[in-house]
Amino acid sequence: MFGYRVPAPDEAMLISGGRRGLGGAPFRVVTGHGKFVVPFFRKTRFLSLAMCESEVTETCVTKQGIALHVRAVIAFKVGNDHESIINAGQRFLSDQDQMSVLTGRIFAGHLRAIIGSMTVEEIVTERQKLAAEVLDTSKMEMAKIGLIVDSLQIQSIDDGDTGYIDAMSAPHKAAIQRQAQIAQAQATQAAVEAEQEAARKQAEYARQTAIVKAEYSAEVDRAQAQAGQAGPLAQAHAQQEVLDAQTELAQRQAQLRQQQLVAEVVKPAEAEAERVRILAAAEAQRMKIQAEAAASYDRVALDRMLIDQLPQIVKEAAGGLAGANVNVLNGADGLGEIAAGLVSQGLTILDSVRQNLGGQDKDGQGNQGNKSDGSGLLQLRSGRDQRSDDGPVDVD
């Protein structure tokens, strides 16, 4: 529509002519909507509200007297409120590019002032602190000209040929290099260990594979050998079974033959030996009984014979004394004593003969008792003859 004007979203429309604007401004501010502007009586201008950029490159001297070349970038714009738009419109509406130039100069001054109160170490290590302080000191000044700063970035700090920053960073560089070397050595060691582990695993796998192959080959060879020996082993087992059967048969035949020999030879021999032993024992018992009976008979017969011959013995003894020269000293008493001695001598001889016969019977020599019949008489006679040859006997 003719006379109706609408500003862009990032613009502020300034209408001059007619009534004054807010706060006595020489123009009215319209943002975000359109406005009917009477042609020829009103004049319309547009102020950009878009983001602007200003770059600052400045040589600043630190608290230590070290010259630093600082490069910073400022992002700013016109404020959205009517007051900021009015302030910026009054200053930059005819030449809006001057906003970047003026802003750079303002920040350059504040940057020199802030860096002059700091050391190189603080500036290098605390850039964010430096930017915050610069923003704080420039905020009120920028607000007076209707601008606001969105951000301030310190892009670079350089000491030129001084070498201070390099010297300051040397220990850190050495430490970093040392750490880098250590890390590199550790990485190399880890790589070597990994290679060794991989080689070990490969060797282990190869060893296990070789073992499995060897076991498989040995199993195949064993199976082939068993298959090749199956026939001979079966024949050998059959022969062994035949030999075992023959051996068992021979053992049974030997046992049977032994039983036959026992039945045919040993048992009859044992029976015959037992019969002979019983007969011998019976014969010995019979002979013993006969010997005892004969000995008893011989003693009875001998006693009877001695008793029958005792008078003859005494007579023979008396006859032996007939030719002897005997002196009787005490008359009839002496003669009685001689006769009594003869009788006593005869009885002693009889007792001796009986004792000899009894001792022979105890030794089992009954036959010798029978033969002593005549020998006793012979001994008695020889004694008598011996006494008769000795000459006269003196009888006291």
Side-chain angles (χ1 to χ4, degrees):
M1 182 181 293
F2 181 77
Y4 191 81
R5 308 296 296 272
V6 179
D10 58 346
E11 290 180 340
M13 185 172 62
L14 304 180
I15 304 173
S16 59
R19 292 181 300 176
R20 293 182 177 271
L22 182 64
F27 49 81
R28 297 176 61 185
V29 178
V30 178
T31 58
H33 58 86
K35 187 73 174 176
F36 181 79
V37 178
V38 178
F40 306 108
F41 296 98
R42 303 285 187 271
K43 188 176 182 177
T44 305
R45 303 287 296 272
F46 294 93
L47 179 67
S48 176
L49 303 179
M51 180 69 65
C52 298
E53 179 181 315
S54 177
E55 183 175 342
V56 178
T57 302
E58 192 68 23
T59 299
C60 306
V61 179
T62 66
K63 183 179 180 179
Q64 300 162 317
I66 306 298
L68 298 178
H69 301 286
V70 180
R71 181 173 176 271
V73 176
I74 304 120
F76 67 94
K77 65 181 291 294
V78 178
N80 293 327
D81 59 293
H82 284 192
E83 184 178 359
S84 296
I85 293 173
I86 292 172
N87 292 334
Q90 289 178 343
R91 290 171 177 81
F92 306 110
L93 184 59
S94 60
D95 191 1
Q96 298 186 22
D97 293 337
Q98 289 294 323
M99 288 190 296
S100 299
V101 177
L102 182 60
T103 300
R105 291 175 181 176
I106 293 173
F107 273 89
H110 289 292
L111 192 62
R112 285 194 301 268
I114 298 300
I115 289 177
S117 63
M118 298 176 65
T119 63
V120 178
E121 289 79 5
E122 292 176 347
I123 295 171
V124 172
T125 58
E126 298 179 3
R127 291 189 180 186
Q128 194 64 30
K129 178 182 177 181
L130 173 63
E133 290 184 2
V134 172
L135 286 175
D136 289 339
T137 55
S138 63
K139 183 180 297 184
M140 293 182 64
E141 189 173 355
M142 294 291 289
K144 289 180 180 181
I145 59 177
L147 300 177
I148 59 174
V149 179
D150 289 338
S151 67
L152 172 64
Q153 296 293 329
I154 307 297
Q155 291 187 340
S156 65
I157 299 174
D158 185 13
D159 60 351
D161 297 334
T162 306
Y164 188 91
I165 296 177
D166 292 338
M168 184 181 66
S169 62
H172 301 285
K173 288 181 179 179
I176 291 173
Q177 290 177 357
R178 183 171 60 255
Q179 293 177 357
Q181 292 176 356
I182 293 173
Q184 183 64 33
Q186 291 177 350
T188 303
Q189 182 179 0
V192 172
E193 291 178 354
E195 291 178 357
Q196 293 177 352
E197 181 68 17
R200 187 185 65 80
K201 289 183 178 179
Q202 289 178 357
E204 181 67 19
Y205 178 76
R207 185 182 69 83
Q208 293 179 356
T209 303
I211 291 174
V212 172
K213 288 183 178 179
E215 291 179 351
Y216 178 75
S217 178
E219 186 175 356
V220 172
D221 294 340
R222 185 166 53 254
Q224 291 178 353
Q226 290 178 355
Q229 295 176 356
L233 285 175
Q235 185 177 1
H237 285 308
Q239 293 178 356
Q240 183 66 35
E241 291 178 356
V242 172
L243 292 175
D244 292 341
Q246 292 178 353
T247 302
E248 185 178 0
L249 179 60
Q251 290 177 354
R252 291 183 178 179
Q253 290 177 353
Q255 291 177 357
L256 180 61
R257 181 58 182 164
Q258 183 179 4
Q259 293 175 359
Q260 291 176 354
L261 290 175
V262 170
E264 294 175 357
V265 178
V266 177
K267 292 299 182 181
E270 290 180 354
E272 181 64 21
E274 183 66 19
R275 187 183 67 80
V276 172
R277 187 183 64 79
I278 294 172
L279 291 177
E283 182 65 22
Q285 186 68 21
R286 184 182 64 80
M287 292 177 65
K288 181 179 178 181
I289 294 171
Q290 289 178 356
E292 290 179 354
S296 176
Y297 177 77
D298 290 341
R299 283 195 299 271
V300 173
L302 181 58
D303 291 342
R304 181 178 298 172
M305 182 181 64
L306 290 175
I307 293 171
D308 293 338
Q309 290 182 0
L310 182 60
Q312 184 66 28
I313 292 171
V314 175
K315 182 179 180 180
E316 290 292 332
L321 293 175
N325 188 10
V326 180
N327 294 323
V328 181
L329 299 179
N330 53 357
D333 293 334
L335 183 58
E337 291 176 0
I338 291 172
L342 291 174
V343 174
S344 176
Q345 185 177 4
L347 294 174
T348 300
I349 292 170
L350 180 60
D351 291 335
S352 178
V353 172
R354 288 178 177 176
Q355 290 178 359
N356 289 330
L357 292 175
Q360 291 174 357
D361 291 338
K362 290 180 180 180
D363 294 337
Q365 297 178 357
N367 295 329
Q368 292 180 2
N370 295 332
K371 293 180 182 179
S372 63
D373 187 11
S375 62
L377 295 177
L378 292 175
Q379 290 175 1
L380 179 60
R381 289 175 181 174
S382 61
R384 182 187 63 186
D385 294 339
Q386 185 177 2
R387 284 193 299 272
S388 63
D389 292 339
D390 290 337
V393 178
D394 294 333
V395 182
D396 294 335

